[in-house]
Structure formats: C-alpha cells, structure tokens
C-alpha cells in the first residue's frame, strides 16, 4: 500500500506497539517489517494464528519464549572453517535450541487448538545431543571451558595450579628477605608483563640480582623479577600458552559440530521469530480487547464498536467512544459532518487503521460482527499538509493528493478525505468536492469524506449510492459526544461554539445577520433531522425495551405452564401408583379370604362366587380410580374470599381439589397438597372448591378404604416358616388391614430362632407410615419371639 496513506494513518505507531511486545530481536524485526497484505489466504491464516494464541493467553497460559536469544550472528560465524565460537555464543545456541524444543512441545500439546501456529512452527528443532555437548564443555555460570572438556586440558590446568603455587611461595620468601634488608620501597608484590616483581629502591638495585621489567615515573623505583622465580615464570608462560591452544582446539571442534546443524538452527530461529510475532499480536489483541474481523467477500465494511488503538493506549479503553460504521451496502460513499473537534478525523483514522490492521493479520479493537474487505490499496488525505519546502499551500497540497487518488482509486481501494473542499472559496471548494465524490462513487470506490460545507451535505442527501453521516453534538451543553450517527448530516455549530469560547454577543449577532440564508436554511434542516433522529432513537429504544419485557413475560408464562403440566403428570402418576397399591392390597385380602374359605371347607361353588364378586368389585374400584386420575382443566370459580391453612381449594389449570398447606409467601406462592404430592403455585391460581368436589373427594377416599364388616380383626400376624423375602408384603397387608379396622396395637409373631426373621421384621417396621413405635414382647407376651407394634 502507498506510503502516504500509511504515514497519515499513523500505521507506524501500530507497528511500534507490536514491536514493544516481542520477545527477541528476530521477532521484533518481523514486527517492524509488517505491512498490509492483499493476499486473502495469507491474511486469514495469520488472523487464525493470532486467534489461536489469543485463546491460549485467555486461558492463563503463555508461549514459553522467555530466554530465547538471537544467535544468527553466531550461526553465521560457525559456517567459516576453523572458526571458534566464544563460550557465551555456544551457550546462547544451546539455550535457544532448548527454548525451541519447549515451544514446540507447548504447541504440540495444544495441536487441536493451535493447528495453524504449530504448522508455522514446523522448523523448530531441539538438537538435544548438541545441547548436551555444549553443556558438557562450557560452564553456564563462569562462561569458561570446563576442565573436564578434555584430558589434556585437565592436565595443563593442574600443572598451572601447581606452578602458580610454587611461584607464590618463592616470591613470598624473597619479599620477606629483601624487606628485612631494607631494599624495597614497600613490602608488596606487583605484576608487570604477566610476571611477579618486587619494588626495589634505585640505590639498592645493584645489590639484588634479577630482571628489571619496569621503572616508576620518578625513576626512584625499579620493578625487578627475582632470579628465584624466573624459571618458574617461564614454565608458567608455557603452560598458559598450552592452555590457550587446547581451549581453542576444543572450541573449534564444538563450533564444527554447530556448523553441521547451521541450517537447522537458522530455520529454528526463523520459526521462533514467527511464533514471537504471533504471540506479540495476540498480546496486543488481548490488551486492546480485539477480535478477528470477518473478511468480507462482497466488499462490505462494517465496524461494530471500533476504537483507535493509539487512543486506547493513550487514554484507556473506557474513555474511547466506540464507532459503529457501515459502508458498501446501498452507499459506497459516506460524507461525515459535524462540529470542529467533534471526532470526524478520529472516525476517519479509525476506519483506515482498522482496515490496515486487518490486512496485516492483526486483530482489531472492535466488537463481534465487524466485517472488513481485503482491498488493493488505501488512499488518505488527512490533516494540514502545507509544504514550505515545495511552496505548497494547504489547499494545493490537498489537490496534489487528490490528483493521485483520482488517478489510482478503484472499486478495490479505500479513499479517506478529511475536510473535502476546504482551504479555498466555499462555492468553488464545494463544486470540486461534489465532482470528486461523483467520480469516486461512479467508480464504486469505497469513500469516506468529512466536510463543513452545507451545499455538499444537501447534495449528498439526494444522490444514489451516497449517504450523510454526522458526529453527534449536544445542543444543550455544546459538547461533542464523539458518537457517529448514520444517515443524518451534522451542523457545524460554529456560532454556539464561538459564544462558548467568549466571542462578544454583538459580534455573533452581526454574524447571524450577515449569514447566508441558504446556509441558515440548511443548518435548520440539519437540526430538524438531528432532532427527529434523536426522537426516533428514543422511541426505538422504548420499543426494544418493551419487546424485551414481553418476551421475558412470554418465557416466564411458558415456563410456568410447562411446570404445571409436569406437576399434573406427576400427580397422575402418583395417583395411579396409589391405586395400584390399593388394588394389590385388595388382591392380598382376596387371597386371604380364599384361604379362609378353604380352611372352612367351603363349597367350590361358594368360593367361585366369592371370587367373582371380588373381581367385580376390583374392576369397579379400578375404573373409578382411573377416572379420578384423569385431569380436569376446568378453572371456573371465583378466588377464595380468604385463605386458611387446611382449607380445600381448587387449583386452576389442574382442575384438582387439594388442601392448602400454608399462606402466601413474599413471592405470592403457596403450597397445596393434592393426594400425596405437594405443589407450589401462585396464590392467584386458587379457586373456591365446589361443594360437590369436596364431597366427591371425601367419598372417594372413604370408598377406597372400605372393608368387609364381617372380616376378622387384624390382631396377630404369624411369620414363622416364611422367608425374609415374603415378610415385607405380609407385614404391609396385615398393618393396612389393622389400620382400616382401627386397631391401635398388634402382635407380630416371628419366633426366636436365629433372629433373622426378627431383624427383617424390624427393618420393615421402620419404614411403615402408620407405625408409631414397636418393641419386643415382655415376659408373658411371648418374650423375644414376638414384636408388639403401636399404630397411630
């Protein structure tokens, strides 16, 4: 894209923000060289990578790039035959390889979430053997070659240590002797040319043998190497030279090993740089609360909640007013108007910089729903570009830029023009502005321009594929709101702003008298449109709130209806279960009756007739119970005059009579027992219970528990000889009959035996609803072979 647009849109500041977030030099260089691309696939891939790493950051993780070093110079040096890399350079190579392995492992563990980033990092290599070799040779703390790097180096350094110790002992002996003789300037050992020397007084020089290595500036002191250490110092010099040669050989060998992997290491650094750039982009996205924009296929430009990244960094996200803007639907040209310092130029720059960021593969500080095209170029004429050197006025400079735009712009370029037609005669400027807009609109070039010229606003209002827009302004406070309003031109409010800035009232009054009537009429039209827009926005907001409230109510009533239906199904299920339980008990009574008849040697015909009657009665009870469990949705009836706990009530929508368990709570809810189920409903859903419903309900309850009058009283149950599996059913049948007959105490005979029947009996009794208590029989009652049961 052209450099002029990149400059006026301050793209370099975005790049600088990105560079600041990289981890090492190669990544920073890639960031500094970043430019918008026109390759849709390249842009989509880079955006995808940034999204992947952004997700990793959002989860609280980070790519392990810390400690990575730029080793490109070291790798280049290693390619020269005979080269020896310094220990520090070798350690940097090992450290970078270690980081490369860590990054690769990090991404491989997230291969499902970061496939694009992992593919871009394919060049990362670890080379563990080379790293271990470097670590074995170079000490990471001292940055020196280890003694263990070779046997020869260990031998040389051992000899060096012994020789230095011998020299130290000899020089100390000479020092003490000559100090006692008074021949030294001071009792100290000095170093000259790498040798230990003594500071001998000049007048005593003839009385000390040795080699003079230096003199003081005054000539009063000679620095003499004693003859006792000369031979040892020569030996030491040879050993130092041998050490240097052996270290050089070791470093050369290790550098040769690095040379063998130079291409892999260089590729690994490049891959790390790519990962570094992606991570820096993701960090920037997180800090700006950015999103990956959708790349428009149809050339639409839709910005939702867009903010300029430089303003976010300077002011903070909370102080930047978001921009909602659309271009490319019914209109390819939008003219933005409004007061000075109202945000027009910021809106232009925001549109431009978001496009440049997206085409650079960067997330944009905007909201979901942002859609940006991929364009060939972007042209921008923004700001005061007066050039003294080129003898160009502001207007001339604008015309120069416009000529380039008109020569290059097309349907695949974005054009941004600030203060179109300004800087010259208003009539001529407006004519030029309209002609430029017509030309760009005819080419289908997406164009956004700002202006203060009323005639331009009026002309745009009536033209196809052109639209007005404005930056909102509060007429009461005379303050701009910096929010964009689509479809409505904005007034300049020059008079109001001038009054606020202290221009005398008489001057403003005269200005209004001199003001062109057409301009006043246009401003009046604009003000009317703005007021209508404000009213429409308010009405729309009210309608949306009401719509949301209605939807909420609808969902609430749907949930309540669903709850009632579920509760009704639950009640029916419980009723059927209770009916089956009653029928099962009736069946048990039938069987007991049959056994009694058999024991009494009744005639077969009598037994058959008894069974027929019982079956007939059972069918009748079944039919009535099924009819009872059929829901009745009728909700006729008035609400109860008053509510009392325990009173019968009819539940609207369910058609059931139940017992009121409690009074309404602070939410207006009550609980009603219908059969064995407790249902929470609105108090408004209660109705007066019809008398016939109450009587029918009572009658049904009585009918369900009627027993034969001549049935023997249930006083004692014998369990001996039964299995533990038979006991629960027998006890349940026995106690049901006892309760219906009004018994308060009964005996269950289980015998003593092993105690198994007794234990099982007690387990069953603990779960029976009508059992108040039970105990073993006392002496005279059957002792531990009998259990006495108290019933309610």
């Amino acid at each position: 894209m052209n450099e002029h647009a990149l400059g006026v849109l301050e793209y370099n500041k975005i790049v600088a923000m990105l560079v600041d977030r990289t981890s090492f030099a190669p990544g920073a260089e890639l960031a500094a060289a970043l430019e918008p691309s026109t390759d849709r696939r390249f842009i989509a891939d880079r955006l995808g990578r940034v999204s992947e790493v952004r997700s990793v950051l959002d989860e609280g993780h980070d790519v392990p790039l810390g400690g990575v070093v730029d080793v490109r110079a070291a790798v280049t040096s290693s390619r020269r035959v005979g080269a020896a890399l310094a220990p520090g350079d070798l350690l940097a190579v090992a450290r970078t390889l270690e980081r490369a392995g860590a990054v690769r492992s990090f991404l491989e563990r997230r291969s499902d979430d970061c496939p694009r980033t992992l593919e871009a990092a394919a060049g990362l290599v670890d080379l563990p053997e080379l790293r271990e070799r470097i670590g074995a040779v170079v000490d990471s703390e001292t940055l020196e070659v280890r003694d263990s790097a070779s046997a020869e180096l260990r031998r040389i350094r051992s000899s060096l240590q012994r020789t230095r110790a011998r020299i130290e002992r000899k020089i100390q002996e000479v020092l003490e002797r000559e100090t006692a003789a008074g021949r030294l300037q001071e009792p100290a050992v000095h170093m000259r040319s790498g040798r230990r020397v003594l500071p001998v007084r000049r007048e005593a020089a003839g009385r000390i043998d040795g080699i003079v290595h230096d003199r003081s500036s005054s000539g009063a002191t000679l620095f003499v190497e004693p003859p006792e250490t000369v031979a040892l110092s020569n030996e030491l010099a040879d050993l130092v030279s041998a050490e240097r040669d052996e270290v050089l050989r070791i470093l050369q060998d290790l550098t040769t090993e690095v040379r063998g992997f130079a291409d892999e290491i260089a590729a690994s650094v490049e891959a790390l740089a790519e990962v570094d750039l992606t991570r820096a982009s993701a960090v920037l996205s997180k800090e700006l609360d950015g999103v990956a924009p959708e790349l428009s296929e149809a050339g639409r430009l839709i910005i939702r909640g867009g903010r300029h990244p430089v303003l976010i960094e300077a002011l903070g996200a909370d102080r930047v007013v978001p921009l909602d803007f659309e271009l490319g639907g019914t209109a390819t040209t939008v003219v933005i108007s409004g007061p000075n310092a109202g945000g027009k130029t910021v809106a232009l720059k925001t549109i431009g910089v978001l496009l440049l960021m997206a085409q650079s593969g960067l997330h944009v500080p905007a909201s979901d729903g942002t859609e940006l095209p991929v364009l060939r170029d972007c042209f921008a004429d923004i700001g005061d570009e007066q050039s003294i050197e080129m003898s160009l006025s502001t207007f001339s400079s604008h015309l120069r830029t416009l000529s380039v735009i008109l020569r290059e712009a097309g349907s695949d370029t974005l054009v941004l023009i600030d203060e179109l037609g300004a800087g010259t005669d208003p009539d001529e400027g407006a004519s030029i502005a309209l002609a430029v807009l017509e030309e760009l609109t005819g080419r289908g070039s997406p164009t956004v321009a700002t202006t203060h010229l009323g005639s331009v606003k009026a002309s745009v209002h009536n033209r196809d594929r052109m639209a007005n827009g404005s930056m909102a302004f509060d007429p009461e406070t005379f303050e701009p709101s910096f929010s964009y309003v689509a479809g409505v031109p904005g007034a300049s409010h020059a008079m109001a702003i001038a009054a606020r800035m202290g221009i005398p009232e008489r001057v403003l009054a005269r200005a209004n008298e001199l003001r062109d009537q057409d301009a006043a009429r246009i401003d009046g039209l604009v003000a009317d449109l703005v007021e209508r827009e404000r009213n429409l926005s308010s009405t729309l907001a009210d309608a949306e709130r009401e719509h949301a409230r209605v939807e909420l109510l609808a969902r609430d009533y749907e949930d309540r209806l669903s709850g009632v239906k579920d509760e009704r199904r639950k009640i029916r299920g419980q009723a059927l279960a209770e009916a089956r339980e009653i029928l099962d008990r009736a069946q048990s009574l039938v069987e007991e009756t049959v056994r009694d008849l058999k024991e009494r040697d009744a005639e077969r015909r009598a037994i058959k007739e008894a069974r027929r009657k019982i079956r007939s009665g059972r069918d009748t009870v079944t039919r009535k119970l099924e009819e009872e469990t059929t829901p009745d949705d009728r909700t006729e009836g008035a609400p109860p005059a008053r509510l009392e706990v325990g009173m019968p009530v009819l539940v609207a929508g369910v058609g059931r009579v139940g017992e009121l368990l409690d009074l309404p709570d602070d939410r207006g809810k009550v609980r009603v027992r219908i059969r064995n189920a407790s249902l929470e409903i609105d108090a408004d859903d209660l109705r007066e219970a019809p008398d016939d419903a109450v009587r029918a309900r009572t009658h049904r309850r009585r009918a369900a528990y009627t027993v034969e009058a001549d049935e023997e009283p249930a006083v004692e149950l014998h369990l001996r000889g039964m299995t533990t599996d038979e006991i629960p059913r027998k006890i349940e049948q026995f106690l049901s009959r006892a309760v219906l007959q009004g018994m308060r105490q009964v005996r269950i005979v289980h015998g003593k035996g092993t105690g198994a029947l007794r234990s099982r009996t007690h387990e069953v009794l603990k779960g029976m609803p009508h059992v108040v208590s039970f105990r073993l029989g006392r002496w005279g009652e059957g002792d531990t072979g009998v259990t006495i049961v108290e019933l309610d």
Side-chain angles (χ1 to χ4, degrees):
M1 292 191 176
N2 70 86
E3 293 295 328
H4 182 267
L6 296 178
V8 297
L9 291 173
E10 300 178 301
Y11 179 75
N12 63 310
K13 292 184 178 180
I14 308 302
V15 170
M17 293 169 68
L18 192 61
V19 169
D20 288 343
R21 288 155 180 81
T22 55
S23 300
F24 76 139
E29 291 172 10
L30 279 184
L34 189 66
E35 291 183 350
S37 172
T38 58
D39 185 335
R40 181 180 293 271
R41 293 182 59 184
F42 173 82
I43 296 169
D45 179 68
R46 187 172 288 279
L47 285 172
R49 276 188 270 157
V50 175
S51 295
E52 291 173 357
V53 179
R54 167 69 188 277
S55 296
V56 170
L57 296 178
D58 288 342
E59 292 172 1
H61 305 292
D62 200 356
V63 183
L65 284 166
V68 66
V69 184
D70 179 12
V71 295
R72 291 174 297 179
V75 172
T76 300
S77 297
S78 73
R79 295 181 187 274
R80 297 195 305 270
V81 177
L85 292 177
D89 290 338
L90 290 167
L91 281 176
V93 169
R95 175 63 175 168
T96 299
L97 290 173
E98 186 273 330
R99 288 291 84 193
V103 171
R104 186 178 184 87
S105 298
F106 180 86
L107 294 175
E108 285 175 344
R109 291 195 301 271
R110 295 165 175 79
S111 57
D112 293 339
D113 300 323
C114 302
R116 293 175 183 263
T117 310
L118 180 59
E119 182 180 356
L124 294 174
V125 294
D126 189 2
L127 303 179
E129 294 181 0
L130 179 59
R131 287 195 296 107
E132 292 173 5
R133 173 76 177 129
I134 293 173
V137 169
V138 182
D139 189 309
S140 60
E141 294 183 1
T142 64
L143 298 183
E144 293 182 354
V145 176
R146 300 178 187 273
D147 295 350
S148 59
S150 74
E152 177 64 13
L153 183 60
R154 182 183 289 108
R155 185 195 65 78
I156 293 172
R157 286 182 172 171
S158 179
S159 297
L160 277 169
Q161 187 176 6
R162 289 194 301 271
T163 301
R164 288 192 176 100
R166 290 172 61 194
I167 292 173
E168 191 63 32
R169 286 196 300 271
K170 285 291 184 182
I171 198 70
Q172 288 298 326
E173 292 174 1
V174 177
L175 176 64
E176 292 175 3
R177 185 186 69 211
E178 297 301 328
T179 299
R183 299 187 183 99
L184 302 181
Q185 288 283 14
E186 58 179 339
V189 178
H190 294 262
M191 294 293 294
R192 290 294 187 273
S193 302
R195 295 188 174 239
R196 288 170 172 77
V197 296
L198 299 176
V200 179
R201 295 164 56 195
R202 183 175 183 82
E203 58 271 21
R207 287 174 284 174
I208 296 180
D209 294 332
I211 301 172
V212 177
H213 285 276
D214 197 6
R215 291 178 173 81
S216 65
S217 57
S218 64
T221 304
L222 303 179
F223 295 96
V224 179
E225 181 182 9
E228 292 90 340
T229 63
V230 171
L232 289 174
S233 294
N234 290 339
E235 181 182 344
L236 181 65
D238 291 341
L239 288 171
V240 169
S241 178
E243 179 193 30
R244 183 171 58 250
D245 293 343
E246 179 62 12
V247 168
L248 178 62
R249 184 193 66 78
I250 293 170
L251 294 177
Q252 285 176 330
D253 290 347
L254 196 51
T255 301
T256 300
E257 294 184 43
V258 173
R259 183 188 312 130
F261 295 101
D263 291 340
E264 289 89 339
I265 298 172
S268 193
V269 171
E270 290 179 5
L272 283 171
E274 278 292 345
V275 174
D276 189 22
L277 174 59
T278 302
R279 177 192 172 276
S281 302
V283 170
L284 184 62
S285 170
K286 185 176 179 64
E287 292 177 0
L288 297 177
D289 195 20
V291 298
E294 182 180 345
L295 299 181
S296 173
E297 296 283 353
R300 292 186 301 271
L301 188 151
I302 302 173
I303 296 174
R304 295 283 181 260
R307 290 152 294 139
H308 199 293
V310 176
L311 286 181
I312 293 176
E313 190 171 54
L315 304 177
D318 294 341
R319 297 184 59 190
V320 180
V321 178
L323 172 69
D324 290 329
F325 185 85
E326 293 188 22
L327 186 66
T330 58
T332 59
T333 296
V334 170
V335 175
I336 303 176
S337 50
N340 288 317
K344 299 189 301 298
T345 303
V346 171
L348 273 189
K349 288 190 173 183
T350 301
I351 295 166
V353 83
L354 295 193
L355 178 76
L356 297 180
M357 289 180 70
Q359 292 194 212
S360 299
L362 300 176
H363 284 188
V364 297
S367 303
D368 291 333
T370 296
E371 184 178 348
L372 299 171
V374 176
L375 300 177
R376 169 176 57 86
D377 212 337
C378 176
F379 298 98
D381 179 24
I382 299 175
D384 185 355
E385 299 185 57
Q386 186 177 37
S387 174
I388 298 175
E389 293 84 358
M390 298 182 64
S391 300
L392 293 176
S393 66
T394 298
F395 181 68
S396 298
S397 180
H398 285 315
L399 290 180
R400 187 168 175 268
T401 304
L402 283 176
S403 66
V404 175
I405 292 174
L406 293 172
R407 185 169 63 248
E408 301 290 340
S411 60
D412 55 353
T413 63
L414 176 66
V415 176
L416 305 171
I417 306 174
D418 194 23
E419 298 297 347
L420 181 59
T424 188
D425 177 79
D427 290 336
E428 293 181 349
S431 300
I432 294 174
L434 287 171
V436 169
L437 293 176
E438 285 180 357
E439 178 66 21
L440 294 173
T441 304
R443 297 182 190 183
S445 180
T447 301
V448 185
T450 69
T451 188
H452 282 289
L453 300 174
S455 56
V456 174
K457 306 174 199 177
S459 296
V460 166
H461 185 70
N462 297 315
R463 299 195 181 227
D464 293 336
R465 298 165 61 194
M466 292 188 189
N468 275 304
S470 62
M471 305 308 295
F473 185 85
D474 191 330
E476 296 180 0
T477 63
F478 302 110
E479 291 285 346
S481 67
F482 303 106
S483 57
Y484 175 74
V485 180
V488 179
S492 297
H493 296 286
M495 295 292 184
I497 294 174
R500 190 166 181 269
M501 297 302 292
I503 301 299
E505 185 177 344
R506 64 179 183 280
V507 175
L508 293 177
R510 179 56 180 161
N512 276 315
E513 293 175 1
L514 298 173
R515 194 176 179 198
D516 182 79
Q517 292 184 354
D518 290 338
R521 187 170 61 256
I522 291 172
D523 279 356
L525 172 63
V526 168
D528 182 59
L529 288 173
V530 170
E531 184 62 27
R532 290 186 182 184
E533 175 70 19
R534 185 180 292 109
N535 292 336
L536 285 173
S537 297
S538 177
T539 302
L540 179 60
D542 291 342
E544 289 177 347
R545 283 193 296 271
E546 183 64 20
H547 178 68
R549 190 183 70 83
V550 171
E551 283 189 339
L552 186 62
L553 286 173
R555 285 196 298 269
D556 180 55
Y557 282 116
E558 287 176 1
D559 292 343
R560 288 169 60 183
L561 178 60
S562 175
V564 169
K565 290 180 178 178
D566 291 342
E567 193 64 33
R568 184 167 63 186
R569 283 193 294 269
K570 179 180 177 182
I571 292 171
R572 292 183 64 189
Q574 290 174 339
L576 286 172
E578 184 179 342
R580 297 293 177 264
E581 182 181 354
I582 294 171
L583 292 175
D584 288 342
R585 291 178 181 176
Q587 183 67 35
S588 297
L589 293 175
V590 168
E591 296 299 329
E592 288 185 11
T593 303
V594 170
R595 280 199 299 272
D596 289 343
L597 289 172
K598 287 180 179 180
E599 291 173 358
R600 298 173 185 173
D601 297 324
E603 296 182 0
R604 182 178 300 277
R605 186 175 58 186
I607 294 172
K608 185 175 181 180
E609 179 63 20
R611 282 179 169 169
R612 185 191 66 77
K613 290 181 179 180
I614 291 173
R615 280 199 302 272
S616 176
R618 185 176 187 276
D619 292 342
T620 301
V621 171
T622 299
R623 186 174 61 257
K624 289 182 178 180
L625 286 171
E626 289 178 348
E627 290 174 357
E628 183 179 351
T629 56
T630 301
D632 182 3
D633 289 334
R634 292 175 299 172
T635 59
E636 292 87 347
R642 71 178 190 282
L643 296 177
E644 295 180 359
V645 175
M647 69 182 292
V649 290
L650 178 66
V651 180
V654 179
R656 288 289 175 201
V657 174
E659 178 185 351
L660 184 64
L661 297 179
D662 50 26
L663 298 178
D665 60 14
D666 55 357
R667 298 174 301 152
K669 300 287 187 180
V670 297
R671 287 186 307 120
V672 177
R673 180 190 290 121
I674 301 177
R675 283 191 167 272
N676 294 329
S678 176
L679 179 65
E680 183 179 71
I681 61 173
D682 287 331
D684 294 340
D685 291 336
L686 297 180
R687 300 290 185 270
E688 290 280 357
D691 293 339
D692 58 342
V694 176
R695 285 194 300 274
R697 182 168 176 267
T698 304
H699 172 72
R700 284 195 294 269
R701 186 183 298 114
R702 290 173 181 169
Y705 294 96
T706 300
V707 296
E708 296 295 330
D710 59 352
E711 189 176 15
E712 293 183 3
V715 177
E716 186 173 271
L717 171 65
H718 290 267
L719 299 177
R720 285 176 296 186
M722 297 184 184
T723 65
T724 55
D725 292 336
E726 295 177 291
I727 288 176
R729 183 173 62 84
K730 290 294 184 181
I731 292 177
E732 183 178 9
Q733 293 172 350
F734 172 68
L735 293 182
S736 296
R737 187 153 52 96
V739 169
L740 293 174
Q741 292 175 345
M743 305 300 296
R744 291 291 178 266
Q745 186 182 84
V746 294
R747 287 161 43 91
I748 299 178
V749 181
H750 42 66
K752 298 179 181 179
T754 63
L757 293 181
R758 180 178 66 246
S759 297
R760 183 59 173 149
T761 297
H762 291 181
E763 288 178 5
V764 173
L765 290 174
K766 289 177 182 178
M768 297 301 293
H770 297 289
V771 173
V772 176
S773 65
F774 59 88
R775 61 177 173 80
L776 291 174
R778 302 187 181 94
W779 186 81
E781 292 179 327
D783 205 6
T784 58
V786 173
T787 293
I788 307 300
V789 182
E790 299 290 337
L791 302 175
D792 60 11

